[in-house]
Amino acid sequence: MAAHEFKHLFSPLKIGNIIVPNRIVLPAHWTCFFFQDEPPNERLTHYLAARAKGGAGLIITPQNTVWPSSTHYGYVGTHDDKAMPAYKMISQAVHEHGAKVIAQLTHFGPSTGFLKTGGAGLAPSSVGGSGGLLPHALGNAVPHEMDKNEIKEIVASYGVTAYRMRETGYDGVEISSTVGAGGLLVAFLNPLTNRRTDEYGGSLENRFRIHMEIIDSVRSAIGSDFVVGLRLIGDMLIDGGTTLDDTKVLAVMVEKRGQVDYLGVCAGFQGHIPPMHFPLGAFVYIAAGVKEVVDLPVVCHGRINDPVQAESILDNNQADLIGMARALICDPEWPIKAKEGRTEEIRKCIACIQECAGNFLKWQPISCTLNPQAGRENVITKIVPAADKKKIMVVGGGAAGLETARVAALRGHQVSLYEKEKELGGQCIIAAKVPKREDFAEVPRYYTYQMKHLGVEVHLETTITPEMVKEKNPDAVVVAVGSVPNMLPVPGSDRDNVVWVRDVLQGEATTGENVVVIAAEQHEQALGVAIFLADKGKKVELVTHCLYAGTELDTNTLPFMYGQLLSKGGVISPLTRVKSIEENAVVTAHAMTGVERRIEGVDTVVVAGIGRADESLYRTLKGEGKEIYAVGQCLAPRLLTDSIWDGYHVGCLL
Ligand SMILES: Cc1cc2nc3c(=O)[nH]c(=O)nc-3n(C[C@H](O)[C@H](O)[C@H](O)COP(=O)(O)O)c2cc1C
Ligand code: SF4
């Protein structure tokens, strides 16, 4: 589809007193680019400017905390003069590319996070652990119950902060009532965390009262010619939380008040960042429901990653603006590629939640599994042409080899890539076999297109030997042949009834009816293969020596994988170490107490591990005096993100 065919997506929209050049919004998302006692920095500025340069029409900057009592991350908030130069720098950098910029105003309320900054969390009621809803440590502390004077102080602080943002050249502010970022306001709105009996508790209107007071406070501080938005969780998707029907009532109230210029609507309680388990556009119906009852522009969010999908949402009048956080983290040039009809060039977010929110939930700077440049825009500006154009041979068509080939070809090298299988993609093809993990297939799709587009010569079903390398005589060789099975060092692991995870997923190994999956890794392979087998009607027990399975997965994905396995009758046995494997039994020991247990009636044991580097080709060629690199799993078996990062890095070195 060419630009003119995305006629809604690239049409301007008036919001309050500004004209947004198109309908593409980068919604607020916390980056962890700066920490305790630090103001926003150049890293954030470059990151946001790259998305504006890529063509997003509206950039909403993350979490401008309104008052010192918002202690969650302990960084320098918008109330502090030290933050002002950075916000001026951001507004200038974004405006240079023709986009508009709005600041999301936040009070973290009950969330005090991991950092000790002094002071307790603030909340409508002294209810800890976000009402017991979050399966992780965030927000578990018991907050201080606010009295009416404390509420007044916070309401006023939003007005003060909005006024200060206006001074920085921003185009507007967004009052956030989303989880995390809008912790305090969500805590008021959520009946599970608001137990007040005064005018701020009880009915929906009462629980929303602080929002209305803040809206009034902001509007009276900044006047009529500055945009004010409100972001709400359209449906908390939890028993007892607010629903779409509630949000419709609130949206009508807000519109009647006449102080707000747009509404942003997302969904879900835990971070409203839907994992791969949700279909594309999973929450569009919520924005559409709100749009039915108001005339205010509505921004929709949640798993929108494709221009045709975005255009049809607008065409169907389900929303006025398309919010895409991860799609633009993954490919900042998504808008410009869509506008120029280069849709196949877009690197689509697969909702893996690994390097973006996965990092941020671990208090680490965000990036993207598929885009190593994301979050490093301050140090990596662009891929530079190579001074010496070389003949490069890449051996292996998994993610590491493909990324090497892509970057090397972009730099002007002549690249040939050899893959022993029938198709490109390596382990991503295997990962996509697990039910609800099919989005991993985007990785081979993207790279297959890139190879063609960049003129990389691809040879499938070709196994490369050291002799063939000698014969082809390239200037440099990059070995990306992956890893081989790495069975457990326990007695019985060499039995015929013990099989390797990837062989099962590829259909190269069959299993009996009763299967034990041994988690020799703590990411998604053990859970994935257990789900795959349970889905086929097998009786599966997953054993892990850790406290729970998938400890390295993010807390958004994990509950869905657990749900998939348990709903199919699968059993997860934590703190269970494997001692030996017998013909029809697995002997385990409790990881803490050492107490033994025999799992009887086992037909097949699946070892789910990350493998061992397949180093032989690399080691053989290394002595030959050629420029040679190993990337990805054959350097050391790690995650997809590491493979892509290796490929990117070596592609830049060649
Ligand atoms: C790393 C990360 C941080 C986020 N932080 C915020 C935040 O500070 N405020 C907020 O309202 N939403 C935040 N979100 C939610 C996004 O704005 C968005 O609603 C969500 O990611 C779903 O949209 P997507 O599928 O386009 O990513 C965050 C999302 C991500 C991925
Ligand atoms: S890390 Fe995964 S979910 Fe996050 S932006 Fe990248 S592809 Fe999307």
Side-chain angles (χ1 to χ4, degrees), residues 607-630:
V607 178
I610 46 176
R612 185 166 46 77
D614 184 356
E615 297 177 311
S616 57
L617 182 65
Y618 173 68
R619 297 264 180 229
T620 313
L621 294 174
K622 199 155 183 217
E624 309 268 311
K626 235 179 227 319
E627 185 180 350
I628 175 154
Y629 303 89

Side-chain angles (χ1 to χ4, degrees), residues 28 63 104-108 111 174-187 189 211 230-234 236 264-272 301:
Q63 303 183 359
Q104 183 176 72
L105 301 186
T106 295
H107 192 294
F108 283 109
S111 312
E174 174 178 279
I175 299 160
S176 163
S177 182
T178 50
V179 74
L184 182 64
L185 300 194
V186 180
L189 197 52
H211 296 69
L230 174 67
R231 191 171 196 210
L232 292 169
I233 304 180
M236 289 183 183
V265 194
C266 49
F269 190 79
Q270 193 174 317
H272 48 87
H301 307 87

Side-chain angles (χ1 to χ4, degrees), residues 110-437:
S111 312
T112 48
F114 302 127
L115 302 176
K116 295 288 166 245
T117 49
L122 295 184
S125 309
S126 205
V127 177
S130 301
L133 292 161
L134 303 178
H136 55 68
L138 275 180
N140 272 347
V142 175
H144 164 75
E145 180 168 318
M146 297 167 81
D147 63 29
K148 287 190 193 165
N149 282 335
E150 286 163 335
I151 293 176
K152 267 200 191 110
E153 182 183 312
I154 296 303
V155 167
S157 76
Y158 274 84
V160 172
T161 307
Y163 182 80
R164 288 167 67 80
M165 287 317 295
R166 194 190 161 106
E167 302 290 290
T168 62
Y170 267 60
D171 299 296
V173 290
E174 174 178 279
I175 299 160
S176 163
S177 182
T178 50
V179 74
L184 182 64
L185 300 194
V186 180
F188 270 90
L189 197 52
N190 185 353
L192 300 166
T193 48
N194 183 345
R195 310 267 168 84
R196 295 179 81 97
T197 51
D198 62 7
E199 67 269 35
Y200 292 99
S203 68
L204 181 66
E205 287 73 12
N206 277 359
R207 287 184 275 116
F208 196 61
R209 186 176 305 280
I210 188 170
H211 296 69
M212 291 301 240
E213 291 179 356
I214 287 172
I215 291 168
D216 290 347
S217 156
V218 166
R219 187 51 88 194
S220 64
I222 46 95
S224 58
D225 59 345
F226 195 60
V227 172
V228 178
L230 174 67
R231 191 171 196 210
L232 292 169
I233 304 180
D235 190 328
M236 289 183 183
L237 302 176
I238 46 167
D239 288 343
T242 54
T243 62
L244 174 56
D245 285 341
D246 294 332
T247 307
K248 286 182 178 177
V249 172
L250 302 178
V252 171
M253 277 168 63
V254 169
E255 183 164 67
K256 269 201 192 137
R257 190 74 140 237
Q259 310 277 38
V260 161
D261 299 306
Y262 76 89
L263 288 171
V265 194
C266 49
F269 190 79
Q270 193 174 317
H272 48 87
I273 306 168
M276 219 181 270
H277 294 80
F278 284 84
L280 290 180
F283 304 140
V284 171
Y285 76 97
I286 294 178
V290 171
K291 197 167 156 47
E292 270 169 21
V293 296
V294 291
D295 291 326
L296 283 172
V298 173
V299 194
C300 65
H301 307 87
R303 286 226 68 197
I304 301 166
N305 71 0
D306 178 80
V308 175
Q309 174 202 12
E311 177 69 14
S312 93
I313 293 168
L314 298 171
D315 194 25
N316 294 334
N317 210 22
Q318 292 170 298
D320 302 284
L321 292 135
I322 306 292
M324 294 184 294
R326 289 169 296 168
L328 296 176
I329 297 175
C330 191
D331 194 339
E333 293 178 346
W334 188 110
I336 207 156
K337 287 177 181 171
K339 192 170 184 184
E340 293 173 2
R342 298 186 284 129
T343 51
E344 281 179 296
E345 278 183 53
I346 293 175
R347 187 199 293 110
K348 289 187 193 158
C349 164
I350 57 172
C352 66
I353 317 196
Q354 289 175 16
E355 293 295 298
C356 58
N359 276 7
F360 133 91
L361 290 166
K362 288 183 280 183
W363 253 234
Q364 286 169 9
I366 66 161
S367 183
C368 172
T369 307
L370 307 185
N371 174 14
Q373 283 176 297
R376 300 184 177 96
E377 289 79 2
N378 55 328
V379 281
I380 309 172
T381 43
K382 57 180 176 197
I383 292 171
V384 283
D388 283 336
K389 304 287 187 269
K390 297 178 194 164
K391 197 171 137 195
I392 312 280
M393 182 174 188
V394 177
V395 187
L402 289 164
E403 178 67 1
T404 313
R406 183 187 77 89
V407 176
L410 273 173
R411 296 186 58 226
H413 293 304
Q414 184 198 329
V415 186
S416 305
L417 182 142
Y418 299 82
E419 164 58 43
K420 69 176 169 28
E421 301 295 340
K422 285 196 189 103
E423 51 187 336
L424 298 174
Q427 286 196 45
C428 289
I429 298 173
I430 303 173
K433 306 262 184 213
V434 174
K436 307 250 183 231
R437 307 299 280 167

